[in-house]
Amino acid sequence: AQSVAQPEDQVNVAEGNPLTVKCTYSVSGNPYLFWYVQYPNRGLQFLLKYITGDNLVKGSYGFEAEFNKSQTSFHLKKPSALVSDSALYFCAVREGGATNKLIFGTGTLLAVQP
Amino acid sequence: DTGVSQDPRHKITKRGQNVTFRCDPISEHNRLYWYRQTLGQGPEFLTYFQNEAQLEKSRLLSDRFSAERPKGSFSTLEIQRTEQGDSAMYLCASRPPREMNTEAFFGQGTRLTVV
């Protein structure tokens, strides 16, 4: 079965510093990986995805993620954090078959201090 | 607004009552998903429609839950005889047809509180 793990419940970073939110995956076959962000009492907003190709994926709001097959990781990164980046971040893997449903991690709360 | 629309945004109901939520996907998106998100957890898949056909239901979807998409456009999710454990955020997402590598677009969700 496909799964993703987000080992950190919360990540704290100072504004202007680089940030990393970790995600590891377990899949059979080629992984289709996604990052979404959720602000309080809101739905999920798509940030970026890895389907195939370059291991470094660039997404919305200055975020990027590095796909590492040997470490089965897909960590989310940003060179310089903003207070407005504070939110809940979810890593997800897309399951194959007819539905292509998403399997989400438990989420990581990012807190950026001014 | 051309995004996924969900109504209502919030619903408070007494235990035992029935509730119904509506999702309007992005126009021409024929694939529609319902997910449930409880506090401190990631969203969990409930059910999937391709056009009007319900192709998959999660074991999370007990017989008190029913979803429809009668004309292949909007969808409804009904919960009968609500229980406190049904309190959660219910999220709807849609995807366009045939595009294998597109992401799912999510609505703002309906937050259900059962008291």
Side-chain angles (χ1 to χ4, degrees):
Chain A
Q2 322 269 45
S3 66
V4 291
Q6 295 181 245
E8 302 155 317
D9 290 336
Q10 183 163 338
V11 169
N12 299 306
V13 64
E15 188 175 30
N17 283 0
L19 70 87
T20 299
V21 182
K22 295 180 180 178
C23 173
T24 58
Y25 65 88
S26 174
V27 304
S28 54
N30 294 322
Y32 293 76
L33 297 161
F34 299 80
W35 276 102
Y36 283 84
V37 60
Q38 186 176 37
Y39 295 96
N41 294 313
R42 304 292 293 274
L44 286 87
Q45 294 179 28
F46 169 75
L47 282 179
L48 50 80
K49 64 188 175 189
Y50 173 82
I51 303 297
T52 187
D54 290 342
N55 290 341
L56 186 63
V57 179
K58 294 191 180 296
S60 306
Y61 314 119
F63 283 93
E64 58 190 26
E66 186 173 6
F67 173 71
N68 188 317
K69 189 173 183 178
S70 63
Q71 296 185 4
T72 62
S73 66
F74 189 56
H75 299 332
L76 182 70
K77 300 182 179 185
K78 188 174 182 181
S80 178
L82 300 172
V83 172
S84 57
D85 292 329
S86 299
L88 192 54
Y89 290 80
F90 289 99
C91 180
V93 61
R94 193 171 75 195
E95 196 170 270
T99 66
N100 291 156
K101 60 181 176 279
L102 294 172
I103 309 298
F104 286 88
T106 51
T108 298
L109 182 64
L110 174 66
V112 182
Q113 283 89 35
Chain B
D1 188 346
T2 57
V4 178
S5 177
Q6 292 189 245
D7 182 73
R9 292 289 308 279
H10 304 274
K11 178 70 177 179
I12 300 174
T13 191
K14 293 183 178 180
R15 191 175 55 183
Q17 297 294 305
N18 299 344
V19 294
T20 300
F21 310 141
R22 177 179 170 123
C23 170
D24 286 89
I26 294 172
S27 180
E28 298 181 354
H29 280 198
N30 70 330
R31 296 181 284 185
L32 188 147
Y33 303 80
W34 285 98
Y35 290 83
R36 181 172 70 185
Q37 183 182 16
T38 53
L39 201 61
Q41 298 297 317
E44 295 175 294
F45 170 78
L46 289 179
T47 191
Y48 167 69
F49 288 87
Q50 184 167 308
N51 300 311
E52 65 276 8
Q54 188 175 21
L55 297 186
E56 184 172 341
K57 293 196 299 184
S58 164
R59 284 171 292 180
L60 292 175
L61 215 64
S62 77
D63 56 7
R64 295 185 298 106
F65 288 70
S66 63
E68 294 182 341
R69 196 181 183 198
K71 297 182 179 180
S73 56
F74 74 90
S75 176
T76 57
L77 178 68
E78 181 183 16
I79 309 175
Q80 295 183 326
R81 305 181 303 282
T82 52
E83 302 174 355
Q84 287 189 323
D86 298 331
S87 296
M89 174 80 90
Y90 290 84
L91 295 162
C92 178
S94 69
R95 290 177 68 208
R98 298 183 300 278
E99 296 285 342
M100 289 300 297
N101 294 332
T102 55
E103 62 275 13
F105 295 82
F106 282 81
Q108 303 282 19
T110 294
R111 180 166 294 282
L112 173 66
T113 302
V114 181
V115 297

